[in-house]
Each structure stands twice: as C-alpha cells, then as structure tokens.
Amino acid sequence: MTQPNPPAYVQILKRERKRALINSMSGLLGWDERTYLPGKGIPLRSDQLALLACMSHDLLCDPKLLELLAQAEIELKLADADDPRRANLKGIRRQVQRAQKLPAELVEAMARATTVGQQAWEAAKKANCYADFAPALQKILQLKREEAQAVGIGQHPYDSLLDEYEPGMTVQELEVIFKSLKTELVAFIGNVVAAKKKHKPSASASRILERAFPVDRQKILCQTVAASIGFDFNAGRLDETAHPFCSGQGPGDVRLTTRYNERYFNEAFFGTLHEAGHGLYEQNLPSEHYGTPLGQACSLGMHESQSRLWENQVGRSMPFWDYYYPIVQAIFPESLGDVAKPTFFAAINDVQPSLIRIEADEVTYNLHILLRFELELALITGELSVQDLPAAWNEKFKAYFQITPENDALGCLQDIHWSAGLFGYFPTYTLGNLYAAQFMVKAKGDLADLNQRLSQGHFRLLTDWLQHNIHAHGQRYSAKELGLKVTGSPLSQHAFMHYLREKYETLYA
C-alpha cells in the first residue's frame, strides 16, 4: 500500500506543477505565434517567451530543489522499486542535471532566436528566398552548438541535442539502426518501382487525389476523423497553420493544427490523423501526474509512434477505408463518386519519390529523415556551413530520390524544425515508424479481431489499447524500456519492413 507523500516530495510536486504552468503558458504563446499572431507582435512575443523560459529554467536550477530531491530520495528509499514517486524523482533529477549545465543567458538567447527564426523561416519560405532565413539559422545553429558543448553528453556533439528528445539514444546507436533500415529500404523501393512499371495504374487513377476537394468540407471531414479515433474536442481544437503540429498545454487543452490544400486530398486528411495521434497521447497522459515526469510522454520517438501509427498503420489500411470510404465519397461526390475503393486505396498508397516530407508515402518517407539526419550532423560539427546548406540539400536529395528541388521552398526551407531550434528531433520520426510497426503487431496479437473492428469503425478499441500500454505510463520507463515491455523485442527495422513487404507486394502483385 502506498504511504502518504513525505513532506519533501509534496514540496517538489508543488514546485514542479508551478513550472508546468509556466511551460504551458509558453506553449500557448507558441501556438498563437504559429496560428494567429500578427506580424508586428513578434518582438513582444520574443520578450514574453524569453521571460517564461528564464522563469522555468530558474525554478529547475534553484538549489532548494536539489535539497528537496535529496531529502525526498531518502524519505522514499524504502518504497517499492516500482513506486511511481521514485520514477518521478528520477525524471526530475535528470531534468535538473541538464538544466544546470545551461547558462540562463543561453536559455534566454535561444528563446529569442527561435521566436524570430520561425517568423523569418515562414517569410523566407513564402518568398522562396533562403538568404532571408540564413542569418537567423546561423544564430540558432551557433546557440545549439553552445548547448551541445554545455550539456556534454556522449561521444558526439549531436548526442547532447538528441538526448533532449530521445533520452538515452546516441548517434552511434542511430547509425546502426538507420544503416540496417536504409539497406533494406533502398532495395525494397527498387522492387516496388519495378513492380509499379508492370502494374501500370491508369493515368486518371494516379491523379484522383488532385481533384477538387473544397476546404470547407475538408474541415468537416478532419474534425470527424479525429473525433472518431477518440480525440476529445471538449478538451482540444483543430486550427490552421503553415506547418502542422500538436501542442499539449496540459489536461483539458490540446491543440491540433493542419493545413488544407483544395487540390490535394492527402495533405489535410493524413496530416490531421498524424497530429490527432499526438493529441491522443497528450489527452491520455495521467492527469493526476500533471507537472511531473509521469504526466509527460517518455520520448519524441514514442510520441511519433502514436502519430505514425494512426496516419499509416491504420489510416492507410484497407480495414480503415472499408469503413471510411463511403463517408468520404458522400462528402466529395463530385471528385470521388466515380472512383472505386480499390482505386482510391491504391492512390493513397502510391509509392513515388517526392519533394515534400510531410506528403511523402510511407515507403520513401524515412529517406527524407535519413537525409536530414546526415545534414544535421554536418551542420552541428561545422563540416557544413549555413551558406552551403541549399546546395548540400539538393545534392543529397538527388542521390536519395533521383530528383532535384526546383527551389529552396521545396527543398531546405520546407520544414520548420531548424528555425525552432529542434536539432535532434528529425530522427524521432523514423524511430516512431519502427515503434509503430512493432506496436501494431502486438495490438493485433492482443486484439484478435482488430482488423474486423476497424472495418466497422470501432477505432477506440485500438485507442484504449494504446492508452493502457503506452500513454498511461508517462515517463515511468524510457522509450527503449517501454518498447521492450510492450512488444517483448528491442527496437529494429524488422517489423516495419515486414509490414511494407506484406502490404505492397499485395498492392503491386
């Protein structure tokens, strides 16, 4: 039986929940910046976010917190090894240790630089002018190098940045995982391309996703599909932005964003499914642990596993469309009324090297991540300069995809991550794909009639399974530990590649 919380632990909870409220205000201001903030409000927003970042950092670095941690660890020393309070103390101490290595001046400078950088990126992308963004990127990159040096984790400077998003993961481990994946993936893509040439889908079928899909009806559909998989719109909302994201402010307030393209069905629909997967994780974290590690996702790779699972493992599956295709046809009768379900299914699963990561098919998607990972390593070490980034991007893109972006808006300016200082984030997308495949294998084993239930629209059966096995644990386990606990296997490319082969060999048989 759990004993009452000792005094030191109670004080820690009070302090950490105060810091969580500060961070939630930062998150809300960040959401507003990327959705509705007027352009002239950027300087003020920079000051606001810098102030809140410093307040949060000061609370985490307060010597009093270290004293309380030491005292609470003694008080709970005799508690059971699986006592959630011990997991909380371990997680908080980890956060303190990282924060103490970062000067307050660096934290403030990063908050200011990324606020300005995101606006500079958005304007540069619209104008297709990389030179307008380069100075902001140079400033952010220099600050990230300083951060990596200050944190000093691992053997590679990038390890310190990666650890913020995927605790415990290293460049060395990533390179092993990515090398195995790349070897199998490149060969598989070659086989799919060859099979497609024999399959020869009709020209009209390949263009059906580019027919007219009125935005007002897309909005209804996106709200409907997010709600159907369990996203609670009484505790969240869906808005528009230049680059889709999910922002969880805390219990009762999770914001999704997407972007609409009247001439491309996939963009908003699968983007919304992706962000709703993130949103489900945020909404299903245990609210009683808000403000503590047990109330937070264990890693960004685990977070991405939830979004990629709903977007691809479910959203591009035939059982999902057995249920949803009649609904979508009814919403867009002019564009899809004459399209048979197998034709539509083939179209949304078409494998085609493409320029834009978030629009990429699930087969070639990970090549986009490998490309960015390699560029990030070179930028952080200084092997690649900001000035030379566009040329390096185009060269690698040509090598990976046999196509070259016609401009930087379609190339190195397409993602918001670097302008937001998110160096170390990109690899988590591929880690998420690998985790998602392993989780889906396990879910289908535990829920024997899952495909049949999905075809009937019972999506919350899977949502409940994910909530019980993934969401409810918060940071009780590391991503590696949680993946092993749920699936019984360490992370690898095997389940993912088996999934691709089984699916696409059928599509292009």
Side-chain angles (χ1 to χ4, degrees), residues 453-483:
R453 298 295 295 277
L454 292 176
S455 71
Q456 297 167 346
H458 299 302
F459 306 116
R460 298 194 187 192
L461 179 70
L462 179 58
T463 303
D464 290 344
W465 186 91
L466 293 168
Q467 195 280 328
H468 175 75
N469 287 282
I470 310 295
H471 310 158
H473 295 297
Q475 292 182 7
R476 183 187 293 263
Y477 308 103
S478 70
K480 294 176 187 175
E481 291 169 341
L482 183 57

Side-chain angles (χ1 to χ4, degrees), residues 250-266:
D253 189 0
V254 177
R255 313 290 179 96
L256 309 182
T257 65
T258 194
R259 67 187 188 197
Y260 300 95
N261 183 339
E262 187 168 344
R263 285 290 179 176
Y264 189 51
F265 174 83
N266 286 13

Side-chain angles (χ1 to χ4, degrees), residues 184-185 188-189 191-192 195 312-313 316-319 345 349 351 362-363 436-438 440-442 444-445 451 493-509:
E184 289 194 53
L185 194 56
F188 180 71
I189 291 171
N191 293 337
V192 170
N312 292 325
Q313 298 277 335
R316 296 181 193 271
S317 72
M318 184 56 85
F345 185 72
N349 286 292
V351 177
E362 60 182 330
V363 177
Q438 292 185 208
M440 203 62 179
V441 170
K442 178 61 175 174
K444 288 179 177 179
N451 278 343
Q493 81 282 5
H494 300 310
F496 179 70
M497 290 306 305
H498 177 77
Y499 157 74
L500 291 183
R501 291 190 182 97
E502 186 175 57
K503 178 176 181 176
Y504 287 90
E505 285 175 1
T506 300
L507 270 172
Y508 293 112

Side-chain angles (χ1 to χ4, degrees), residues 277-348:
H278 284 304
L280 289 175
Y281 197 168
E282 290 294 316
Q283 288 187 337
N284 287 325
L285 288 166
S287 59
E288 67 272 19
H289 291 299
Y290 172 65
T292 72
L294 288 182
Q296 301 166 19
C298 72
S299 81
L300 263 295
M302 195 59 62
H303 229 309
E304 290 300 333
S305 76
Q306 304 305 285
S307 59
R308 299 297 285 178
L309 184 147
W310 284 107
E311 177 188 358
N312 292 325
Q313 298 277 335
V314 176
R316 296 181 193 271
S317 72
M318 184 56 85
F320 179 87
W321 288 104
D322 284 339
Y323 176 79
Y324 248 104
Y325 192 56
I327 296 172
V328 173
Q329 271 189 314
I331 294 175
F332 303 110
E334 304 91 342
S335 296
L336 297 177
D338 64 338
V339 179
K341 182 173 62 178
T343 302
F344 178 83
F345 185 72
I348 63 168

